[in-house]
Amino acid sequence: MMRVNLIGGIDTELQNTYKQFVTYLVRPIGAADETARLPTDQQQLRAQRLQAEQFSEQSSLVSQIGQAKLLARYYFPNSSVAVEDLSFYTRQTLIDDLKVARTAQEKRELFAYLAGLRGTSRRSLAVDIQRPITLTDRELEALINATDGRLYLNRLIADAPNREPTLMRLLVVLGPLTNSEPRNSKPTVNTSLTSFESEPPLGIVYVARSLGTVQKTLDDLRQVVMLLFLTGLASAGTGAYLLAGQALLPLRRVQRAAERIGGQNLTERVPVPQTGDEVESLATALNAMLGRLEGSFEAQRRFTSDASHELRTPVTAISGHASYLLRRTSPTGQQQESLKIIQSESERLTNLIASLLQLARSDSGALTLQRGPVFSALLLSDIVRELAPLAQAQHTALTSAGEDVTFEADADRLKQVLINLVSNALKAGAQTVTLRSERVGAEVRLSVQDDGPGIPTDQLERLFDRFYRLEDSRSRDQGGAGLGLSIARGIVDAHGGRIWLDSEVGQGTTAHVQLPVGNVPELDLDDVP
């Protein structure tokens, strides 16, 4: 829009300059009369050559040319102007001749004639006469066919000798030159004979003005707009960030509170902001959902706990009666085998009930830990010594290694986890089982590595699901219930640690337990009971 407005302003100035220039052609300035009129380009070139050859003899002509150019420059500052006299023509006859020239050859002949006529009569001001303003045949045809006889162009124009052309806005007007003497004849080249005594001859006037000011204004405006845009963008971005942060603050609080809530603390609720918008509705819906989840989990825990307590008494009675019959009676061989099966299954069911009770306590957060300082090397040695008879019975080499790390944990619960992992390795038929400890930053990592058959990758994570057992014979043939790893994960989670398995089929399995070291004093073995 700014460019259009600026170009429009220059077009208006060009029109005003054109009117003044035509007036100058009609009425010479002051008393100079004919000598003040702008000389033709051919006169200027002849004057320059004569001045170079015989300056003194041609001083009068040079003086006349200089006077005319000085007066013209005074009245048309900052403009480049030129005029071409199309004598013997009126606008209508020129249009008619162009219509008569139907073929390309005829048009070329007409334009060639007009070019010669324009070249001999051209008069220029602030234009390098060696590089005059001119029109192509196509532009000349467009000018002739223009309704108002005007043509606006952007053209590179040299306003002085030895100077690079600059981009200018050019107004070309095809109109009568009223200062020329009317003529009544002309050569006929593809033109019709017409009397011109009543009409002034036709001419082409060029008025040009530099677009440097427009370009500079647009460049300055572009820089200002860019600066304002960047400033506005930075301000808008900062404002949007602050406003968005302020608007999303209640949502972040709800998010942080929701992230803290887990299976161990379903009694907590997310804060409900009094904003009266969707965030408040979301927080209310989350709290309602947490209430339903808490009720469901609580019912599940209560059922598990109650069922375990109720089952323990009859199972104990069954096991006791089976043991009594085996000791106090003389059952037959088949009866004795049946009683032993009853006793074995009763013990298995007792262990299952104990595991379910422990899981129920872990889910409800009632699993209490007796934390104290633990020496990793001593803990692993105790486990190796305790399970050595079982390992020897299966011809398995059970060893411990690694550095001794002092950390804070419940030694009994942690021993239960590691014994479960070692038992799984022995059940899998491993020939070598190694317990290892190492320090990893501010944590201790306890590992159980075996050379057993390995576990498929897609089943590693599912092993921690309750009652899940592998499809192969790793634990199924040993009568496992599939709760050992679930209990182990619950104990490790209660310590604030994590447990995972690394395994590859045919390459063995490594179980890792990583716990925070905690705040423990520097202790010696003598300080541990």
Side-chain angles (χ1 to χ4, degrees), residues 197-216:
E197 295 183 358
S198 59
E199 295 184 17
L202 197 65
I204 300 177
V205 178
Y206 303 86
V207 183
R209 179 160 292 192
S210 174
L211 289 175
T213 303
V214 174
Q215 191 62 41
K216 184 178 184 305

Side-chain angles (χ1 to χ4, degrees), residues 390-401:
L390 182 60
Q392 291 174 1
Q394 297 185 197
H395 305 287
T396 301
L398 180 62
T399 59
S400 62

Side-chain angles (χ1 to χ4, degrees), residues 61-260:
L61 178 59
V62 173
S63 177
Q64 293 175 11
I65 293 175
Q67 181 184 10
K69 294 189 67 175
L70 181 61
L71 290 172
R73 169 58 72 186
Y74 176 78
Y75 282 94
F76 313 116
N78 303 322
S79 297
S80 297
V81 294
V83 60
E84 296 171 349
D85 191 357
L86 296 179
S87 301
F88 314 110
Y89 273 107
T90 64
R91 178 174 172 78
Q92 187 58 46
T93 58
L94 188 58
I95 294 175
D96 293 341
D97 283 356
L98 185 58
K99 290 181 179 179
V100 170
R102 298 180 180 277
T103 66
Q105 180 62 30
E106 291 175 346
K107 285 186 178 182
R108 282 196 296 271
E109 292 177 357
L110 175 60
F111 289 142
Y113 172 75
L114 294 176
L117 193 63
R118 289 157 51 204
T120 57
S121 63
R122 184 182 296 115
R123 288 167 283 174
S124 303
L125 172 65
V127 179
D128 184 4
I129 58 178
Q130 301 292 343
R131 293 173 288 178
I133 304 175
T134 185
L135 298 176
T136 64
D137 292 347
R138 187 181 296 249
E139 292 171 343
L140 181 57
E141 184 177 359
L143 177 64
I144 295 172
N145 292 326
T147 304
D148 57 353
R150 300 190 177 199
L151 193 64
Y152 289 95
L153 302 171
N154 292 337
R155 183 67 57 83
L156 288 172
I157 298 174
D159 56 357
N162 302 323
R163 186 176 295 180
E164 290 296 325
T166 58
L167 185 63
M168 293 190 180
R169 183 69 169 174
L170 177 63
L171 169 62
V172 186
V173 182
L174 177 64
L177 301 178
T178 56
N179 67 318
S180 300
E181 296 294 336
R183 301 179 183 181
N184 52 15
S185 64
K186 76 174 184 69
T188 56
V189 179
N190 293 330
T191 60
S192 59
L193 295 175
T194 309
S195 175
F196 303 107
E197 295 183 358
S198 59
E199 295 184 17
L202 197 65
I204 300 177
V205 178
Y206 303 86
V207 183
R209 179 160 292 192
S210 174
L211 289 175
T213 303
V214 174
Q215 191 62 41
K216 184 178 184 305
T217 302
L218 291 176
D219 291 342
D220 293 342
L221 180 63
R222 187 178 296 108
Q223 293 178 2
V224 171
V225 170
M226 183 59 67
L227 180 61
L228 291 176
F229 172 76
L230 294 177
T231 304
L233 182 63
S235 302
T238 303
Y241 176 78
L242 295 177
L243 290 177
Q246 189 67 23
L248 295 178
L249 183 60
L251 190 58
R252 290 197 183 96
R253 291 174 179 169
V254 172
Q255 176 191 358
R256 287 193 292 266
E259 290 174 349
R260 291 194 301 267

Side-chain angles (χ1 to χ4, degrees), residues 19 42 98 130 169 195 224 230 267-268 277 354 430 440 449 494:
K19 293 177 182 178
Q42 292 184 354
L98 185 58
Q130 301 292 343
R169 183 69 169 174
S195 175
V224 171
L230 294 177
T267 56
E268 292 189 17
D277 55 8
V440 181
Q449 183 178 7

